[in-house]
Amino acid sequence: MSDPARTLAGLPVWDGTAARGVATVTWSAGRIDDVTASEASVLADEYSVIPGLIDTHVHLDSSAGSAPTDWATWPIITPAAEKSLHVVAHAAAAARAGVTTLRDLAGSEVQLAAARGLDDRLVPGPRLRVYGTVGMTAGHGDLFTPPHYPHRAPTADSPDECRKLVRQWARQGVHGIKIHLSGGVLSMGDGVGWRNQTDAEIATTIDEAHALGMLVAAHTHSVEGVDRALAHGVDSIEHGTGILERHWAELAERRIPVAPTLLINDRIAAREIPVTDEAADKAKGVVAERDERFVGAARAGVRFVLGTDANGVMVRFGDQHEELRHMQALFGWTAEQAMIAATSDAADAIGMPSLGRIARGAEADLVVVKGRPWERLEDLTSDSIVAVVSRGETIFGALPELTPTQGASK
Ligand SMILES: [Zn+2]
């Protein structure tokens, strides 16, 4: 059964890179058929069309329920099948904010089950990209789980184990691999400056992931982690606290995307959410080092993309708009630069250039929004989202009735 053709006629279109003026967008079978200049509709002053937003760094397996839970305990006591329902609920919350693609960087069967259900349109929702982690014993990813707990996520402690774990993830159907090149803020008992993995382990992991057609995202807060990310050829840098001036030129020239995850570290550092003293102290250190380095990096052309680390608790699904405004302010960006970081640049960062764009042949992931967020980022709020289309289907709101300003529609 093929989908009927759909149309948005006569609204201002911002295509993921630039404003296209008033146009008509048509799509069928999940793909955009055409974008053509057209007469304005009566709603052209009020509404516009932008590509669906892409968050390149999230964690979906936390409680989406209303009952208060401890974020660290919940993943340990909740069965996998139940977690998948929470993943879908978080994804739906993101969709209501116009986010049509989420990349989960610590996935498992939980996120994969949800991703396949959403792709199959069992419930309306965005696209999920799911990455499997390859990390060491006592590394960042291993320190969310108490040492005596038996049902741990897998770890890998030699080049051979890394290669095998990449292959096991590939068999499970993940879309990419996440590695850790330093300790983290929320992992318990490490320092953000701890080295994670040896050079041989990193090189082997990246070699195997690339051989099996997967991108590698690298978590790092340390300077050494950035050095090693560049030396080994990762495909994106997550957090990037250790980015120094000497890294700027290479990062910019190779257009390696960096997800700055600003809001989450600010909130943990300021204790806006309940966290341990350990996490708050680590986040304070990260924030103190980060801002000045990032301002210079942005000016030097380092490609920062929308990546929030949203986990539904410290950064909620829907906070992507606030993260973008934070990026705009810190980097001295125009509204349009922030929108590019959340659409076409974010799509390229996750290896899916057919997303984040409104163009013939691109995926039909569209948002009808009140206002013109590429001119005024303040226009991008949850209240301003009118309709969200993913894979050609409306997953939130309703497409507006559009009549031409002159004469009757034909
Ligand atoms: Zn993360």
Side-chain angles (χ1 to χ4, degrees):
M1 193 176 73
S2 65
D3 298 324
R6 311 276 166 80
T7 302
L8 276 169
L11 291 180
V13 171
W14 182 79
D15 72 1
T17 59
R20 295 275 301 257
V22 172
T24 292
V25 184
T26 53
W27 66 96
S28 58
R31 293 243 172 202
I32 294 170
D33 296 321
D34 226 334
V35 187
T36 48
S38 70
E39 190 189 334
S41 77
V42 288
L43 290 171
D45 288 339
E46 202 180 333
Y47 291 173
S48 63
V49 188
I50 59 174
L53 307 180
I54 298 166
D55 191 336
T56 67
H57 186 145
V58 303
H59 299 282
L60 289 153
D61 60 338
S62 65
S63 173
S66 50
T69 53
D70 174 61
W71 71 268
T73 311
W74 187 89
I76 296 170
I77 61 174
T78 307
E82 191 177 330
K83 283 184 188 174
S84 290
L85 297 173
H86 290 260
V87 169
V88 171
H90 282 316
R96 291 195 290 276
V99 181
T100 53
T101 304
L102 297 161
R103 181 168 74 160
D104 190 305
L105 285 181
S108 69
E109 58 178 332
V110 167
Q111 290 90 338
L112 284 166
R116 287 193 284 263
L118 289 165
D119 277 342
D120 211 12
R121 301 180 182 176
L122 300 181
V123 285
R127 298 168 199 271
L128 306 187
R129 303 293 287 176
V130 181
Y131 280 40
T133 58
V134 175
M136 66 182 200
T137 297
H140 171 58
D142 192 39
L143 293 173
F144 289 80
T145 312
H148 57 272
Y149 183 74
H151 309 291
R152 334 180 53 78
T155 48
D157 292 294
S158 68
D160 285 351
E161 284 188 14
C162 289
R163 198 177 290 283
K164 185 170 185 179
L165 185 49
V166 171
R167 292 169 178 171
Q168 286 169 332
W169 281 128
R171 186 172 61 191
Q172 280 203 50
V174 300
H175 304 108
I177 295 295
K178 160 91 167 300
I179 60 174
H180 306 124
L181 299 181
S182 79
V185 169
L186 291 170
S187 35
M188 290 169 258
D190 63 349
V192 291
W194 279 20
R195 191 189 77 177
N196 272 221
Q197 311 284 121
T198 63
D199 279 314
E201 288 166 343
I202 298 161
T204 306
T205 302
I206 295 172
D207 172 68
E208 192 65 19
H210 286 171
L212 302 183
M214 294 187 285
L215 297 183
V216 177
H219 156 111
T220 182
H221 286 294
S222 69
V223 174
E224 178 212 24
V226 180
D227 288 336
R228 297 199 299 156
L230 290 171
H232 292 292
V234 304
D235 300 297
S236 68
I237 290 178
E238 310 301 320
H239 315 299
T241 313
I243 291 173
L244 300 181
E245 188 170 350
R246 64 180 163 83
H247 298 124
W248 296 348
E250 187 175 358
L251 282 167
E253 192 177 322
R254 289 166 61 182
R255 295 188 49 73
I256 296 170
V258 180
T261 67
L262 301 176
L263 215 45
I264 192 163
N265 289 319
D266 286 352
R267 287 180 180 173
I268 296 170
R271 309 194 79 124
E272 286 172 30
I273 30 155
V275 289
T276 60
D277 291 346
E278 181 198 358
D281 287 345
K282 287 180 181 174
K284 272 183 216 156
V286 164
V287 171
E289 288 184 342
R290 182 196 69 191
D291 288 356
E292 200 185 316
R293 293 176 179 175
F294 278 8
V295 170
R299 228 178 271 134
V302 172
R303 179 160 69 149
F304 287 101
V305 296
L306 177 64
T308 60
D309 218 352
N311 59 10
V313 181
M314 293 140 197
V315 172
R316 304 185 71 87
F317 293 93
D319 287 345
Q320 281 78 12
H321 307 156
E322 195 179 335
E323 176 86 13
L324 277 178
R325 278 188 274 278
H326 211 58
M327 291 167 75
Q328 183 192 13
L330 181 63
F331 302 150
W333 277 354
T334 63
E336 186 161 66
Q337 284 176 295
M339 289 299 294
I340 290 170
T343 54
S344 56
D345 254 5
D348 294 347
I350 64 169
M352 300 189 74
S354 63
L355 298 177
R357 291 172 169 84
I358 301 179
R360 186 181 298 167
E363 305 277 348
D365 287 11
L366 308 164
V367 178
V368 180
V369 60
K370 287 181 197 157
R372 300 183 181 204
W374 65 93
E375 292 173 359
R376 264 177 51 88
L377 202 56
E378 294 72 24
D379 286 352
L380 191 69
T381 68
S382 286
D383 290 339
S384 71
I385 306 295
V386 176
V388 180
V389 173
S390 168
R391 310 170 187 80
E393 296 289 321
T394 305
I395 60 169
F396 173 70
L399 295 177
E401 289 288 329
L402 297 168
T403 48
T405 43
Q406 297 154 18
S409 59
K410 41 184 181 173

